[in-house]
C-alpha cells in the first residue's frame, strides 16, 4: 500500500538544508517501516525516488538520523554519594539446595523492600537454633546490612545486625523503618536534656505568653 508521510520541521532544521532532511527521512523510513522485501521497489518521499540498490554506507550512518529517532545512552563512571543506608528489614530462611557447600555456611535474607536484593548472611549471625527449627523464625524480623555484592553473583553478601521481633507489631516495624532510612532514634544525651525545663509540668507564664504570637 502507498504510504504518505508528513514531516514538520522548524527553522533549525532548515538551517541544515531541506535536502539533507529529505535524505535522512528517506533512509529512516526504509529501515523502520518500509522494508517490503521486494528488491528495487521505489520509496517516494516529498517528490524524491530512491531504490534499495541506492542504499550505500550512508544508509546505515546514525549521524544522518534526526534527533527524534535517536536513543541517548550513557554509563555510570563514578558513585558520588551512597544514598541508601545498606540496611534492610526482612526475614531469614535456609537455602533451597541442602546439598551445596553454601548451605553449610550461609542463610538467605529476604528484604521486605523488594527494591533491595536478597542477601547471603553467615549462619554464625543467625540464632543458634535456626538450622534445627527454621520455621520458628519465619515471622521474625531482622536487620541486615549489605557489605558486598560481587559482579558474578545474583545475591549480595551481608551481616545480620539485630533481631527486631515479631513481624506486624508496631515497635519492630517502626524500628526497622527508622534503621533503613538511617534515622538516629537513640535516647537524647544529658547535655540535650539539660536545656529543657526541669520543673514539670511546665507551662508558659502570662508574661512570656504576652510576648509570643499565638498560633494555636
Amino acid at each position: 500500500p502507498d504510504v504518505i508521510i508528513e514531516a514538520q520541521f522548524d527553522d533549525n532544521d532548515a538551517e541544515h538544508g531541506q535536502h539533507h532532511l529529505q535524505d535522512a527521512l528517506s533512509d529512516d523510513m526504509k529501515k523502520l517501516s518500509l522494508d517490503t522485501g521486494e528488491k528495487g521497489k521505489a520509496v517516494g518521499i516529498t517528490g524524491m525516488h530512491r531504490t534499495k540498490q541506492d542504499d550505500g554506507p550512508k544508509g546505515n550512518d546514525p549521524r544522518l538520523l534526526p534527533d527524534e529517532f535517536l536513543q541517548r545512552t550513557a554509563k555510570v563512571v563514578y558513585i558520588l554519594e551512597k544514598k541508601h543506608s545498606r540496611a534492610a528489614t526482612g526475614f531469614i530462611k535456609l537455602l533451597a539446595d541442602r546439598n551445596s557447600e553454601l548451605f553449610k555456611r550461609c542463610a538467605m535474607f529476604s528484604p521486605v523492600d523488594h527494591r533491595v536484593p536478597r542477601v547471603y548472611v553467615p549462619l554464625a549471625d543467625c540464632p543458634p537454633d535456626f538450622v534445627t527449627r527454621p520455621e520458628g523464625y519465619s515471622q521474625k524480623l531482622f536487620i541486615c546490612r549489605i557489605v558486598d555484592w560481587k559482579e558474578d553473583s545474583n545475591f549480595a553478601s551481608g551481616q545480620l545486625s539485630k533481631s527486631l521481633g515479631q513481624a506486624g507489631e508496631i515497635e519492630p516495624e517502626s524500628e526497622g523503618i527508622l534503621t533503613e532510612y538511617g534515622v538516629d532514634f537513640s535516647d537524647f544525651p544529658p547535655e540535650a536534656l539539660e536545656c529543657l525545663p526541669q520543673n514539670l509540668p511546665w507551662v508558659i507564664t502570662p508574661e512570656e505568653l504576652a510576648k509570643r504570637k499565638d498560633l494555636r
Side-chain angles (χ1 to χ4, degrees):
D2 294 335
V3 178
I4 300 175
I5 300 171
E6 296 182 3
Q8 292 183 347
F9 54 92
D10 55 20
D11 295 338
N12 293 329
D13 296 322
E15 291 178 3
H16 299 290
Q18 183 176 352
H19 187 74
H20 172 74
L21 178 62
Q22 292 171 342
D23 280 345
L25 285 173
S26 177
D27 291 337
D28 298 341
M29 296 310 299
K30 282 184 181 181
K31 288 187 288 184
L32 295 175
S33 61
L34 296 181
D35 187 7
T36 61
E38 301 176 10
K39 292 184 178 180
K41 183 174 181 178
V43 179
I45 299 180
T46 61
M48 299 184 58
H49 296 277
R50 298 184 59 180
T51 63
K52 276 188 173 288
Q53 288 87 341
D54 294 335
D55 285 344
K58 274 188 176 182
N60 295 324
D61 191 349
R63 291 174 298 179
L64 299 179
L65 295 175
D67 287 346
E68 59 265 25
F69 293 120
L70 297 179
Q71 173 64 55
R72 290 172 173 81
T73 60
K75 72 174 182 177
V76 176
V77 295
Y78 182 74
I79 298 176
L80 185 64
E81 180 182 2
K82 294 182 178 180
K83 300 293 289 184
H84 197 274
S85 65
R86 299 298 187 271
T89 305
F91 305 92
I92 56 173
K93 59 182 179 180
L94 295 175
L95 299 181
D97 188 2
R98 295 177 175 270
N99 297 321
S100 66
E101 188 66 27
L102 199 60
F103 179 86
K104 303 175 183 177
R105 297 184 291 107
C106 296
M108 178 63 72
F109 175 83
S110 297
V112 174
D113 187 349
H114 297 292
R115 296 173 298 178
V116 182
R118 286 182 289 177
V119 186
Y120 286 133
V121 294
L123 283 177
D125 292 349
C126 301
D129 58 344
F130 168 67
V131 176
T132 56
R133 58 179 202 94
E135 65 280 354
Y137 296 92
S138 60
Q139 294 300 316
K140 294 285 186 181
L141 283 176
F142 290 84
I143 288 288
C144 173
R145 291 193 178 274
I146 297 175
V147 296
D148 191 20
W149 193 356
K150 299 186 182 301
E151 294 181 359
D152 58 350
S153 176
N154 291 330
F155 308 112
S157 301
Q159 296 177 338
L160 289 183
S161 58
K162 188 176 183 180
S163 174
L164 296 177
Q166 191 73 16
E169 295 183 357
I170 293 178
E171 289 297 331
E173 297 279 0
S174 300
E175 184 176 346
I177 294 172
L178 293 172
T179 303
E180 286 181 9
Y181 286 92
V183 179
D184 183 5
F185 56 95
S186 59
D187 294 336
F188 287 103
E191 294 80 11
L193 297 176
E194 286 175 359
C195 68
L196 299 177
Q198 303 300 316
N199 298 323
L200 301 179
W202 178 78
V203 294
I204 303 177
T205 62
E207 295 78 11
E208 183 69 22
L209 193 57
K211 298 186 294 182
R212 300 190 181 196
K213 185 174 182 178
D214 194 347
L215 299 177
R216 289 175 294 183

